[in-house]
Amino acid sequence: MTWRFALVLEPAASDDAREDFAAGFREIDPSAPALSVGELSTQRGDGIFESIGVVNGHAQEVAAHLERLAHSAALCDLPTPNLEQWRQAVTVAAAHCPADGEGVIKLILSRGVEHGPAPTAWVTAAQAPDNTVVRERGVRIVTLDRGYGIDTPARAPWLLLGAKTLSYAVNMAAIREAKRRGADDAVFVSSDGFVLEAPTASLVLRIGGRFVTPAPNGGILHGTTQLSLFEHLAVQGRETAYETVPVSALAEADAAWLLSSVRLAAPISAIDGVAVAVDRELTASFNEYLLSPRT
């Protein structure tokens, strides 16, 4: 049985120069119309979002997601979010999630209605897809040119390449292209030959006993799940690193994973049509940790 829940956050009725949100939100019918036709999130994708995994009623890594929401807001010149209000909204949404199973809470902050007085913000909760098979069997990926060099984000910050924006048309097009090529997902690479990230996930490689992820300086979204896993690996005494990773490293890796808040750790089973080894035991241990309560 599927389920959904939604809240709208109320804007401050004050002269606060930041146009912060005051503590307050109201529940809405998730199946009913809720946005104005002038809403810029739908007209232009002008907004940001976060997806928080929920396991057995527990919202995972809430602090990290809220920090990233604030970072994206700053990059996009959106009003500074009132993080305590968002935190309270997440708590309410999580309380409406079943005590057993997995869900996803989404936080959306839009620039609002064109020429309107305030931004628009809402929180939804819904049942997550069943990712059991993909966590066990893995995903086949293809590499796709992202269309810019590794130094482009530093030279052109207005491209918002490090923000988690609502403008996901390119990301979805990349996944469709991957499926046209007989794969399940994609990994973006820069035009000058460096590995970036997947359209909706971070990439982690195991190379010679070290766990490596592309450094978040090429317009890469810093993954909350990847950060959490690296902390877990460090506690175990394993070496982790952020590096500028050439495309050639994909073929040299002992194993590789895509990491995201809802899918968690999905091992990569093939790259550009070439099968690669899947460490099922290690993957199972990753997901056991990622399914445990994490704050």
Side-chain angles (χ1 to χ4, degrees):
M1 181 177 178
T2 59
W3 51 272
R4 294 184 349 188
F5 176 76
L7 292 170
V8 169
L9 278 68
E10 304 288 359
S14 71
D15 294 328
D16 189 331
R18 297 183 307 161
E19 295 184 271
D20 266 5
F21 296 105
F25 35 80
R26 57 185 172 84
E27 182 177 348
I28 60 172
D29 181 351
S31 64
L35 297 178
S36 165
V37 293
E39 170 62 44
L40 293 176
S41 61
T42 54
Q43 286 192 359
R44 299 176 183 167
D46 194 355
I48 58 176
F49 77 102
E50 284 290 325
S51 297
I52 300 176
V54 182
V55 179
N56 299 331
H58 182 272
Q60 305 278 57
E61 301 286 346
V62 174
H65 282 284
L66 291 178
E67 289 172 7
R68 195 167 66 180
L69 184 77
H71 177 68
S72 293
L75 290 177
C76 295
D77 293 321
L78 284 164
T80 304
N82 183 323
L83 297 188
E84 182 54 35
Q85 183 194 16
W86 286 93
R87 191 186 314 278
Q88 292 173 12
V90 170
T91 299
V92 172
H96 284 79
C97 297
D100 296 309
E102 296 179 49
V104 55
I105 293 174
K106 291 191 177 182
L107 318 180
I108 303 100
L109 174 59
S110 159
R111 206 169 300 276
V113 178
E114 190 164 18
H115 309 304
T120 307
W122 64 100
V123 173
T124 66
Q127 183 174 343
D130 185 353
N131 287 296
T132 304
V133 172
V134 75
R135 291 170 188 165
E136 293 176 353
R137 298 182 183 176
V139 291
R140 301 160 298 171
I141 66 104
V142 293
T143 54
L144 297 179
D145 191 335
R146 188 64 174 87
Y148 61 77
I150 194 72
D151 64 339
T152 298
R155 291 188 294 104
W158 51 86
L159 296 179
L160 306 179
L161 296 172
K164 193 172 178 69
T165 72
L166 293 171
S167 303
Y168 255 46
V170 170
N171 304 62
M172 298 300 100
I175 292 175
R176 292 194 297 272
E177 178 62 22
K179 292 180 178 179
R180 278 192 286 268
R181 299 187 186 194
D184 306 300
D185 209 331
V187 166
F188 287 128
V189 299
S190 67
S191 297
D192 46 357
F194 296 97
V195 180
L196 299 173
E197 59 188 346
T200 63
S202 304
L203 174 70
V204 170
L205 307 174
R206 188 182 68 196
I207 303 175
R210 301 166 63 246
F211 293 88
V212 178
T213 193
N217 56 7
I220 295 172
L221 188 71
H222 211 162
T224 57
T225 307
Q226 172 267 311
L227 282 166
S228 183
L229 180 64
F230 269 28
E231 291 174 0
H232 175 65
L233 291 171
V235 169
Q236 294 183 328
R238 297 176 183 262
E239 184 179 354
T240 63
Y242 295 87
E243 297 179 355
T244 301
V245 180
V247 175
S248 60
L250 289 174
E252 299 167 359
D254 303 315
W257 296 265
L258 296 185
L259 294 171
S260 58
S261 297
V262 177
R263 188 166 52 182
L264 303 184
I268 293 176
S269 60
I271 302 173
D272 290 330
V274 178
V276 297
V278 171
D279 191 326
R280 300 189 185 282
E281 183 177 355
L282 187 57
T283 300
S285 73
F286 285 176
N287 283 316
E288 181 180 9
Y289 163 70
L290 294 171
L291 285 165
S292 66
R294 293 176 289 122
T295 57

